[in-house]
Amino acid sequence: MEDENETQAASTTNGAAAARQRTPEIEVPKASAAYEDSEPVHVGRLTRTVVKYPCLVMWALFTVIMMLSILVAIAEIAPADSVFDVLGFPSFSPKFEPVVLRGLGTGEVQQDVYDPDEDDEDDRRRRRLDDDDDDELEREFTLSTIRLYYEDLEGDNLLTEENVLKMIDVERAILETDWENVCKTVWDFDEKKFKCAQPRTILNYLFENDKKHKELCEDGFCVVDEDDVKSCSGSVNVNGTKFATGLSFGKWPCVSTAFDWRDGTLANPKDWSKLLDKSLCDRGSDTKYFLDKDNEECKKPIMTKFSRAQYDIGCPRPGFKRCDEDRGAQNGELEGGLLGQGQYGRDLLAALSVQVDKHSATAQASTTTARGPQGDRTINIFFDASLTGRQADLGLYTAMTSIASLVFVFFYIWANVGSLFLAFVGVFEILMSLPLAWFIWRLILWQQLLDFFSVFLLPFLIICIGADDIFVFMDTWKASASKPPSISGTTETRLVWTYKTAASAMFTTTATTVLALCMTATSSIPFIATFGVKGALVVLMDYVLVISWFPTTVIVYHTYIEHATCCKWWCGCLPTCRPVDVTPGEPVPERKSVQLLREKAAPQIYKYRYAMLTIAMAAIVSFCAVFGSLYEVAQDFPSFYVDAHPRNAVEVITDTKFFVAADWKHQITVVYGLDPDKPVTRDETGQLVPDIFEEEDLKVNYYNLNLNENMQKQLVKDCADLRKNEDLVSKKEVYCILNDLEEWAGDDFPYENEEELRKGLADFYDSGDYGRLQGNFSDYGRLTNFVPDGTRGIKAIWNSFNATIPQEATSGPASIGPWQEAWYTYINETCAAPCFAHMNNPPVSEPINWEFMTIIQITVREVWSTMGYSLLCAFIVLMFTTWNVIVSGYVVLTITCIMVCVVGSVFAIGNNLSIFECTLIALTIGLAIDYSVHIAHFYVHAGGTRFERTQESLAEIGISVFGGAATTVFAGVPLFSASERFTSLFGFFILFTAMWSLFLTFFLLVPLLMIIGPEGTQGDMKRYLPERFRGKSTRLTPS
């Protein structure tokens, strides 16, 4: 049979070249031949209604869409003070992982510690959250901070006259922008007067005014106590005898807490090194803040390549009693930016921008960091001030890039469908899927918050998928005009055939995409789970609109606009336009693009099918090798910003250029008294996205520790044994309250019962020995303490240990995973009572602990399981829609190869497997599905030989596939310019997914179908069903 077909094809092909004679030629059937025996199309009442009253139906559906969108907007935004009350930040913390619950439990008990100055009421946590406490002094605490970072680009000495004058201009801009009304305050000794607190800047030491320091100190604003102010004059009089103190005003500690460097005189640059040595270097902590780590020891002459300054904004603001009372509202009074309402933030940004642009090589609005001088701008000046609204604006700018994508999609749809009207309604349909999904998310699923990433990135996802659905429907509608009269004869039959064909094709891709996205709901990471669910809702709503509202607009266009002589490019429902009678006639010729795919592309693909398959396999093998060789799990959390962005430069400077205590240790806290498996119970609110800024209503799960004499001895022994363990504990450095109590109490320890132990601890806390412990060890009361149970008992007790975990350890599983296992093993085997170990954050800017390690482990583990679930769902959906196991298998193979190549491409451009990559791998599976599923769907529903079925599939859906790929690529391109690493990476994922999906669909799947695709009933699973369940065949009769 195959030889006969090839012979027949060769006899009907004109002008075959010698090269083509070696390849069997294929007969290209006429477009209508496959449909000559097709059954009549049944037209129902709904179709007749839509065709008869298209405007009425269109506007009715439009009204429903708008009402639902407005309803969710009113329900969500109206009660909020600002849009930021609606949007939240993504949470990566697994809600119910034991390591996370242990961290929460440790934090809870450390806040409920015994305090001898408090009464013994049990519910300390309620009092922490009580807003009715005493009022706080106006602006005595910090609400927000303005930080400045300076970098010398010419050499290693920022402290030159030229550079310092630039620093003066920048910091003066802060002080001259309504500073007196926003600054953090300091109060005099009697708490009757206040002034702006002295900012933290090296200019305090370069500007001299000893008289001003004296005046302010005597007025009650001084570092020294009120009783010691007199000693700052250089001597004190004791019983008529003068004693020299060696102190003087203007030199630490006889300096004012309210000194404004503008009140001083800039010292001679020649004296700066000496002046800094005298004033700054006596205060070791300040040298470590103002001088970089290469100069923190004040080597002569004093110089630094980097420096920084800090200006604090105070709270509570006027009208608020406490600093923690609605901090969002207090910030909102000041915050600027595109969505901010505060004038101060706008004024501050304007003032700083002028000076930064004037003096800094990196401009204020620049998205890249200058690495060398730019003319006379020889330093970099970065500022970090959330009140300016710059951080929020960066996200908004990213969201605005979706407009660029939307504009391209609009023009592409216009070019594809040939109608400005349909281009408008197509884009509208894509956009309206977002508020409709929000309606389901908020008012049906009753979820409170949307995270910023979802709001900014979901538009790109639906632009990619929504445009593809429009192309499928419109290409099918246009193809209906070329079908036999039973289809093309009337508008009703065309609509029925188009709807049936396109809706089924879109249902297959929508179902696979939605289920693939829903598979992310199995993730333990809230952000990944909810992003996928929200993406699935948006895709589902787009499908609902494209099969309900969009067809009515197509009928409106066809009836009123397509053949109209007036207002052709406008809405034909205007009163000036009237319906145009269209007389049914013969089918119109097929479009040239369809003819090209059918008559040119398909035969060429068949001719070179083995070569194309070889190229595809070579690419897959190559990128499998790239995947395998470059596969690396990230050992830390990725930076939030792209490498070149100034915000990332600030993080690098903070982390690497300034002092970090050389002798700090990673600390492990061992807690007794809490259930180790479930130390806290989280409030079951049903929210998938917790608000990370709202303190949860946690229930701490205590057990009866029963601190009798024996248990007291056992707990002391636990600490002593750990102290001797050199593998886990560094230099025997431990903080154990019962061991210190035993040393203080002597023979009185152990106490007879828990009540007596509680009394003994209270006496110990009042002793001088405990005071010395607090003085000798910072945070001693946090590192080891107990939670009281009423006035007589103890709920929990904990000890802390300086661990042998290396300083250079990161949060990666390979880095601190073995240490966690070692601690867990030791604790489980030796604790006298049920306990657990928790790793505290070290004194560095980058958090390093077992919780972050667990997040990395979970995301890496779940990304592959999610991919497996998604592929399984795709196979199941294809089986139920195509009923062909062979085609379904080919599609799943193609999707798997696409994802391997996409991930390999991401690795090839320098990325590793961090939480960002894992999240995007899980999400882009949905984008990888569409093209191959379209081809498979139309292949199964075509008839004839495997070549004819593939040819028909390319002719029917090929243009839509190319259109969808083009819109996907250009929708992702604007993301490349994003400042946020996650957003920029999303752009690359979109690009690589579209490119590899298109390439492997045409170079792998199509050649496979031409070579070994199923024919007849091969792979058809319906034949195994009882006859009454098989239904009518959907395959077309071959010519």
Side-chain angles (χ1 to χ4, degrees):
M1 175 65 69
E2 184 174 353
D3 292 340
E4 292 176 2
N5 288 339
E6 292 174 350
T7 303
Q8 182 181 7
S11 65
T12 58
T13 303
N14 298 324
R20 298 182 60 189
Q21 291 174 354
R22 292 190 296 270
T23 303
E25 296 296 329
I26 304 300
E27 178 184 4
V28 180
K30 294 181 181 180
S32 60
Y35 294 91
E36 287 177 353
D37 298 327
S38 59
E39 297 180 2
V41 176
H42 174 71
V43 179
R45 293 182 180 179
L46 181 59
T47 303
R48 291 191 180 95
T49 301
V50 171
V51 173
K52 186 174 182 179
Y53 307 105
C55 282
L56 178 63
V57 177
M58 181 187 74
W59 286 116
L61 291 175
F62 175 85
T63 302
V64 173
I65 294 169
M66 294 306 299
M67 287 180 63
L68 294 178
S69 302
I70 293 172
L71 178 62
V72 69
I74 293 175
E76 192 67 74
I77 297 177
D81 294 330
S82 70
V83 68
F84 294 104
D85 291 340
V86 180
L87 303 181
F89 286 89
S91 171
F92 290 94
S93 181
K95 293 179 66 174
F96 302 107
E97 280 291 317
V99 67
V100 175
L101 299 180
R102 289 167 184 166
L104 293 172
T106 304
E108 287 294 303
V109 298
Q110 287 178 338
Q111 293 183 80
D112 290 339
V113 296
Y114 170 76
D115 187 343
D117 295 328
E118 290 185 345
D119 58 33
D120 294 304
E121 186 172 336
D122 188 33
D123 194 2
R124 284 175 169 77
R125 188 171 192 276
R126 179 184 58 78
R127 287 182 289 143
R128 291 203 319 267
L129 304 178
D130 192 356
D131 291 332
D132 296 329
D133 289 341
D134 294 337
D135 294 354
E136 295 170 346
L137 297 175
E138 183 177 340
R139 291 186 277 141
E140 68 170 325
F141 298 106
T142 301
L143 174 67
S144 184
T145 300
I146 304 168
R147 292 186 176 89
L148 296 165
Y149 300 85
Y150 303 100
E151 177 188 12
D152 183 18
L153 297 175
E154 279 192 324
D156 294 327
N157 188 16
L158 184 68
L159 301 177
T160 65
E161 183 176 10
E162 179 185 3
N163 291 339
V164 169
L165 290 176
K166 295 175 182 178
M167 296 164 65
I168 291 171
D169 284 346
V170 173
E171 296 187 36
R172 191 185 299 276
I174 298 174
L175 294 173
E176 292 180 351
T177 307
D178 201 24
W179 182 245
E180 292 76 12
N181 294 320
V182 299
C183 63
K184 179 181 177 180
T185 60
V186 288
W187 291 70
D188 66 354
F189 298 134
D190 298 327
E191 295 187 350
K192 294 180 179 179
K193 298 178 295 184
F194 67 84
K195 292 182 180 293
C196 285
Q198 181 186 53
R200 201 174 187 188
T201 170
I202 201 170
L203 298 181
N204 291 334
Y205 303 95
L206 300 181
F207 280 80
E208 296 181 290
N209 192 337
D210 294 347
K211 291 182 179 179
K212 191 64 175 180
H213 279 289
K214 179 180 180 181
E215 174 188 332
L216 291 170
C217 278
E218 292 176 344
D219 202 22
F221 301 95
C222 203
V223 172
V224 299
D225 294 334
E226 182 177 10
D227 296 336
D228 296 328
V229 171
K230 292 181 180 180
S231 65
C232 292
S233 61
S235 63
V236 292
N237 193 322
V238 180
N239 297 325
T241 304
K242 284 189 176 182
F243 293 92
T245 62
L247 301 177
S248 61
F249 287 106
K251 183 178 179 181
W252 180 264
C254 299
V255 293
S256 172
T257 56
F259 180 70
D260 186 335
W261 56 263
R262 292 176 298 173
D263 294 331
T265 302
L266 183 62
N268 190 316
K270 296 179 181 179
D271 300 329
W272 285 356
S273 182
K274 181 180 179 181
L275 186 62
L276 290 173
D277 184 44
K278 167 190 170 185
S279 303
L280 175 64
C281 295
D282 286 346
R283 302 179 60 189
S285 61
D286 272 6
T287 64
K288 294 170 176 57
Y289 185 84
F290 296 123
L291 306 181
D292 62 41
K293 62 170 54 177
D294 295 330
N295 300 280
E296 63 195 19
E297 299 301 329
C298 287
K299 301 173 184 177
K300 310 298 187 298
I302 296 175
M303 60 178 61
T304 183
K305 183 178 179 67
F306 300 90
S307 189
R308 51 189 171 179
Q310 178 175 317
Y311 289 73
D312 293 331
I313 308 296
C315 67
R317 301 269 310 148
F320 296 89
K321 295 180 179 181
R322 301 181 56 79
C323 192
D324 57 4
E325 178 189 349
D326 200 351
R327 291 180 69 94
Q330 295 188 61
N331 267 298
E333 291 182 354
L334 303 175
E335 190 167 8
L338 296 177
L339 295 179
Q341 302 174 357
Q343 187 60 41
Y344 173 76
R346 296 189 181 94
D347 293 342
L348 177 63
L349 179 60
L352 284 173
S353 297
V354 170
Q355 298 303 327
V356 170
D357 291 346
K358 178 181 178 182
H359 298 305
S360 175
T362 301
Q364 181 276 134
S366 176
T367 57
T368 57
T369 304
R371 298 316 322 155
Q374 307 293 315
D376 61 347
R377 293 173 292 168
T378 59
I379 65 173
N380 269 333
I381 305 173
F382 309 106
F383 67 91
D384 180 8
S386 61
L387 291 182
T388 61
R390 286 203 311 165
Q391 288 176 268
D393 288 351
L394 285 176
L396 291 176
Y397 292 144
T398 300
M400 290 178 183
T401 59
S402 62
I403 297 176
S405 300
L406 202 62
V407 169
F408 171 80
V409 170
F410 169 78
F411 282 105
Y412 196 95
I413 293 176
W414 187 5
N416 184 280
V417 304
S419 166
L420 182 62
F421 170 76
L422 290 179
F424 271 119
V425 298
V427 170
F428 176 82
E429 175 266 311
I430 292 173
L431 291 178
M432 295 313 294
S433 62
L434 294 166
L436 292 183
W438 188 11
F439 177 87
I440 297 176
W441 175 259
R442 181 65 181 89
L443 299 182
I444 296 180
L445 299 181
W446 210 247
Q447 297 299 306
Q448 298 294 330
L449 289 177
L450 292 171
D451 61 82
F452 281 97
F453 278 137
S454 297
V455 173
F456 295 155
L457 299 183
L458 283 178
F460 294 96
L461 179 68
I462 196 56
I463 285 172
C464 300
I465 295 175
D468 178 67
D469 288 344
I470 290 174
F471 295 148
V472 170
F473 190 91
M474 284 305 303
D475 288 340
T476 308
W477 169 257
K478 290 179 180 180
S480 68
S482 305
K483 302 305 177 186
S486 60
I487 296 173
S488 62
T490 65
T491 301
E492 288 88 347
T493 55
R494 286 186 64 187
L495 178 60
V496 170
W497 184 84
T498 299
Y499 194 90
K500 181 179 180 180
T501 305
S504 63
M506 289 185 292
F507 174 80
T508 303
T509 56
T510 299
T512 51
T513 301
V514 167
L515 287 177
L517 289 171
C518 284
M519 286 301 100
T520 62
T522 61
S523 175
S524 305
I525 308 299
F527 169 60
I528 298 177
T530 56
F531 194 108
V533 172
K534 285 175 281 191
L537 290 176
V538 173
V539 173
L540 182 61
M541 288 299 98
D542 175 77
Y543 175 73
V544 170
L545 290 178
V546 85
I547 65 170
S548 58
W549 187 67
F550 188 72
T552 65
T553 64
V554 172
I555 299 303
V556 168
Y557 168 74
H558 175 71
T559 305
Y560 295 98
I561 303 174
E562 188 174 14
H563 305 289
T565 57
C566 65
C567 57
K568 184 173 182 179
W569 300 107
W570 304 94
C571 177
C573 297
L574 295 175
T576 56
C577 294
R578 296 290 183 268
V580 177
D581 293 331
V582 180
T583 304
E586 291 296 322
V588 299
E590 283 188 324
R591 290 173 294 161
K592 292 183 178 180
S593 57
V594 175
Q595 294 177 17
L596 178 66
L597 288 171
R598 187 193 302 276
E599 300 172 7
K600 300 293 184 182
Q604 287 298 311
I605 293 174
Y606 183 83
K607 178 180 178 181
Y608 298 107
R609 61 194 183 278
Y610 291 106
M612 294 175 70
L613 186 60
T614 301
I615 293 172
M617 294 305 298
I620 293 168
V621 171
S622 299
F623 276 87
C624 282
V626 171
F627 180 97
S629 61
L630 298 181
Y631 180 89
E632 180 185 3
V633 177
Q635 294 303 308
D636 214 336
F637 259 52
S639 172
F640 188 77
Y641 296 96
V642 296
D643 292 339
H645 198 272
R647 296 280 305 178
N648 189 66
V650 169
E651 293 181 9
V652 172
I653 290 173
T654 303
D655 292 342
T656 64
K657 303 304 180 183
F658 287 97
F659 169 83
V660 175
D663 61 346
W664 66 269
K665 305 288 194 308
H666 288 284
Q667 291 178 332
I668 307 297
T669 296
V670 178
V671 183
Y672 300 85
L674 270 66
D675 182 351
D677 296 323
K678 198 172 184 180
V680 296
T681 301
R682 308 187 85 146
D683 187 21
E684 294 290 346
T685 62
Q687 296 300 303
L688 297 176
V689 183
D691 189 347
I692 61 177
F693 291 112
E694 289 291 334
E695 188 168 0
E696 293 183 85
D697 187 14
L698 300 173
K699 177 187 176 184
V700 183
N701 299 321
Y702 296 101
Y703 67 85
N704 184 11
L705 190 54
N706 190 18
L707 288 167
N708 53 36
E709 290 187 28
N710 183 59
M711 181 58 68
Q712 294 172 42
K713 291 179 181 180
Q714 290 297 320
L715 294 185
V716 169
K717 183 178 183 300
D718 281 355
C719 178
D721 290 345
L722 256 175
R723 184 176 184 176
K724 298 174 185 176
N725 191 320
E726 296 180 354
D727 294 331
L728 298 179
V729 177
S730 174
K731 300 178 182 179
K732 300 183 179 180
E733 296 171 352
V734 301
Y735 309 90
C736 302
I737 189 64
L738 291 188
N739 296 65
D740 293 330
L741 173 65
E742 179 187 37
E743 184 177 345
W744 175 79
D747 294 338
D748 292 337
F749 188 91
Y751 293 90
E752 183 178 351
N753 53 47
E754 188 171 303
E755 182 177 355
E756 292 300 318
L757 173 63
R758 170 69 183 273
K759 292 178 181 179
L761 283 169
D763 293 338
F764 178 47
Y765 277 50
D766 290 334
S767 70
D769 285 18
Y770 186 80
R772 281 188 289 275
L773 285 171
Q774 287 185 308
N776 293 335
F777 303 105
S778 60
D779 289 338
Y780 179 83
R782 179 183 63 84
L783 295 172
T784 181
N785 214 317
F786 70 95
V787 176
D789 187 5
T791 60
R792 300 181 178 182
I794 295 176
K795 286 184 177 181
I797 193 167
W798 64 93
N799 304 318
S800 295
F801 306 85
N802 286 348
T804 53
I805 301 173
Q807 283 188 4
E808 61 272 14
T810 65
S811 291
S815 181
I816 61 173
W819 296 100
Q820 182 198 47
E821 183 178 356
W823 272 94
Y824 279 11
T825 300
Y826 183 88
I827 290 298
N828 292 335
E829 292 176 353
T830 62
C831 271
C835 67
F836 64 83
H838 170 71
M839 183 177 180
N840 303 318
N841 277 328
V844 292
S845 61
E846 187 69 26
I848 302 169
N849 57 42
W850 292 333
E851 180 179 339
F852 286 99
M853 181 198 73
T854 302
I855 293 174
I856 295 173
Q857 287 177 318
I858 289 174
T859 53
V860 173
R861 180 179 70 243
E862 291 182 344
V863 66
W864 307 123
S865 62
T866 300
M867 182 182 293
Y869 295 149
S870 299
L871 292 173
L872 178 62
C873 286
F875 182 79
I876 293 173
V877 170
L878 286 166
M879 280 295 300
F880 278 99
T881 54
T882 67
W883 289 99
N884 194 293
V885 66
I886 297 176
V887 172
S888 300
Y890 289 167
V891 173
V892 170
L893 172 65
T894 303
I895 297 171
T896 303
C897 293
I898 290 170
M899 291 309 302
V900 170
C901 291
V902 168
V903 177
S905 300
V906 171
F907 288 169
I909 61 174
N911 297 284
N912 54 18
L913 199 63
S914 74
I915 187 171
F916 288 171
E917 284 78 8
C918 290
T919 302
L920 293 173
I921 289 172
L923 297 177
T924 50
I925 296 174
L927 292 176
I929 287 174
D930 282 8
Y931 311 147
S932 53
V933 171
H934 279 319
I935 295 293
H937 175 87
F938 280 87
Y939 178 92
V940 170
H941 288 77
T945 64
R946 57 175 60 101
F947 167 77
E948 291 170 339
R949 297 172 77 173
T950 309
Q951 180 188 44
E952 188 66 26
S953 177
L954 290 173
E956 294 290 344
I957 202 66
I959 293 299
S960 299
V961 169
F962 280 109
T967 53
T968 299
V969 168
F970 284 97
V973 167
L975 291 176
F976 295 165
S977 62
S979 303
E980 300 86 354
R981 184 182 297 273
F982 182 84
T983 307
S984 177
L985 191 61
F986 188 34
F988 282 103
F989 266 93
I990 290 176
L991 173 66
F992 291 143
T993 303
M995 292 176 59
W996 281 112
S997 296
L998 189 66
F999 173 77
L1000 291 179
T1001 295
F1002 284 92
F1003 277 72
L1004 176 63
L1005 179 62
V1006 170
L1008 274 176
L1009 293 174
M1010 287 184 171
I1011 297 171
I1012 51 176
E1015 291 183 308
T1017 60
Q1018 291 176 345
D1020 188 356
M1021 302 304 294
K1022 277 190 175 181
R1023 58 180 173 169
Y1024 298 107
L1025 296 176
E1027 186 173 353
R1028 65 179 180 274
F1029 294 117
R1030 295 179 188 179
K1032 296 181 180 180
S1033 174
T1034 57
R1035 294 186 179 85
L1036 305 177
T1037 304
S1039 58

